Amino acid sequence: MEEFQTHTLPNGLRLIYRPTQSAVSYCGFTVNAGTRDEDEDYSGLAHFVEHTIFKGTTHRRASHILNRMEVVGGELNAYTSKEETVVYSVFPGAHLARAMQLLGDLVADSQFPERELCKEREVVVDEINSYRDTPSELIYDEFESSLFEGCSLGRNILGDVDSLTRITSDVARRFLTDYYTPENMVFFFMGSTSFNRVRGLAERYFGHLCRPKKELSRELKPFVESFSRTVNRDTHQSHVIIGARAYDLFDKRRRPLLLLNNLLGGPGMNSVLNVSLREKRGYVYTVESSVTSYTDTGLFTVYFGTDHRYAQRCIDLVKRELKRVREQRLSPAKLAAAKRQFMGQIEVSTDHSENVALALGKSFLRYGRFDSLEEIASLMERITADDILEVANELLSEDRLSMLIYE
């Protein structure tokens, strides 16, 4: 089947369509707005708007929105990141018009009634408190806040209790009007309905949306000095993050970094760090490395949790493995094996259709395309051992790395 088709409505809204033979369809909006687009006084606004966009429109009450897709076996969902908000639906394919009409209503006419905002504040406060009780998640945000200190990328997605109380219906509507604009969004679809049908419904339900494009203002502060900080949180075990700023979404060096990351601490049980810390020594249950990329910068981290008495040993082991990848070039056999594993994992992940649909929207928003497995494999095949060595030395040098410890 053809990989994807695209179309742009007269109002500037871009559509991306990917055909499948599944009876289940996915569609939604990927909005180029997130935590870093909030005013400083309204920390958590993007996430709160995502929560309350379902609480009533000009045409529907919250209860009507709640039931609209559920009664046909579908569902509505949404999430917020530092740079995107996604609102989408999963449903039996026969109910596409119902889903698109509802989604168009949400992004165009959400009203954010105060009585609903009051109730949802309590829900988000509970989410914040639950999050604070999970050190393995909290440490990521605290590390990122330190690494991007002084700019909006350092803000917590959930915000805080004080800022939530300042968010009114007018504030929420203004954020929606400013950022949920046709030129600032992508509509994605994945399913068996024809492209012409999807395009026609998009023109009917989204074509009327007419809001001026707001220019994004995403300031990035210069690099902060590397730091090493220990925070006493009276946790059952030590939680440790080691990392540094990395490459943005458009940097070609990001590809060898992704391959290196997968080799070091990716999901495979045979990752270098998992073998060293868990399989050989039994020091940890979880150790992982990750790469997060934004439009103008990025982040590489290694995380593990361990018994307090093993924390320093694990830190030393992680640093030893990072030193090894800076100094030792991968052999042709190991490089080929790393590429084979990485591509195999991507191929397996495509069996999760919802993730593929969400990736479809983000990829088109950022790159204006969606790469096939063959195209990804071709790009990965060009990566050399020297490329990986260069990235390792640039990003993982001892003086560049920062560390945060919870104990």
Side-chain angles (χ1 to χ4, degrees), residues 177-192:
T177 301
D178 283 346
Y179 293 106
Y180 286 56
T181 66
E183 291 180 281
N184 204 44
M185 298 191 295
V186 159
F187 178 78
F188 61 88
F189 170 84
M190 193 169 83
S192 58

Side-chain angles (χ1 to χ4, degrees), residues 146-260:
S146 298
L147 209 61
F148 297 110
E149 185 178 5
C151 57
S152 54
L153 265 182
R155 295 179 196 156
N156 188 299
I157 290 173
L158 301 181
D160 56 62
V161 176
D162 289 340
S163 63
L164 289 176
T165 63
R166 292 193 289 270
I167 300 174
T168 64
S169 295
D170 287 341
V171 170
R173 277 196 296 270
R174 186 164 61 248
F175 188 86
L176 186 87
T177 301
D178 283 346
Y179 293 106
Y180 286 56
T181 66
E183 291 180 281
N184 204 44
M185 298 191 295
V186 159
F187 178 78
F188 61 88
F189 170 84
M190 193 169 83
S192 58
T193 305
S194 73
F195 175 66
N196 287 339
R197 168 76 169 156
V198 174
R199 184 176 59 187
L201 290 172
E203 290 168 350
R204 181 191 306 176
Y205 295 128
F206 314 145
H208 69 283
L209 184 58
C210 185
R211 291 174 181 151
K213 181 180 180 181
K214 181 181 176 71
E215 294 301 323
L216 299 177
S217 178
R218 294 175 171 174
E219 183 182 5
L220 181 65
K221 298 289 185 182
F223 279 94
V224 298
E225 290 187 12
S226 60
F227 57 87
S228 180
R229 187 162 64 249
T230 300
V231 179
N232 186 357
R233 290 194 175 271
D234 196 26
T235 50
H236 176 69
Q237 60 175 193
S238 294
H239 299 267
V240 180
I241 278 193
I242 301 170
R245 289 196 192 186
Y247 306 123
D248 64 49
L249 284 165
F250 310 102
D251 196 315
K252 292 182 179 179
R253 294 170 296 177
R254 181 172 172 266
R255 297 186 196 116
L257 174 60
L258 289 172
L259 191 58
L260 174 61

Side-chain angles (χ1 to χ4, degrees), residues 13 25-31 53-54 57 60 65 68-69 75-78 86-91 95-110 176 180 185-189 205-206 208-209 211:
L13 178 67
S25 294
Y26 306 81
C27 71
F29 290 97
T30 304
V31 186
I53 199 173
F54 303 109
T57 71
R60 293 177 172 86
I65 295 169
R68 185 66 177 161
M69 298 311 299
E75 62 182 59
L76 279 172
N77 212 334
V86 180
V87 183
Y88 67 102
S89 183
V90 184
F91 52 91
H95 301 289
L96 174 62
R98 175 184 291 251
M100 291 180 67
Q101 183 185 39
L102 178 59
L103 289 166
D105 196 21
L106 294 178
V107 301
D109 293 312
S110 285
L176 186 87
Y180 286 56
M185 298 191 295
V186 159
F187 178 78
F188 61 88
F189 170 84
Y205 295 128
F206 314 145
H208 69 283
L209 184 58
R211 291 174 181 151

Side-chain angles (χ1 to χ4, degrees), residues 51 69 113 116 123 131 145 280 285 295 313 315 339 344:
H51 266 242
M69 298 311 299
E116 296 291 346
V123 172
Y131 170 75
S145 294
K280 286 186 177 180
Y285 175 71
T295 52
R313 296 185 205 177
I315 291 169
K339 292 178 179 179

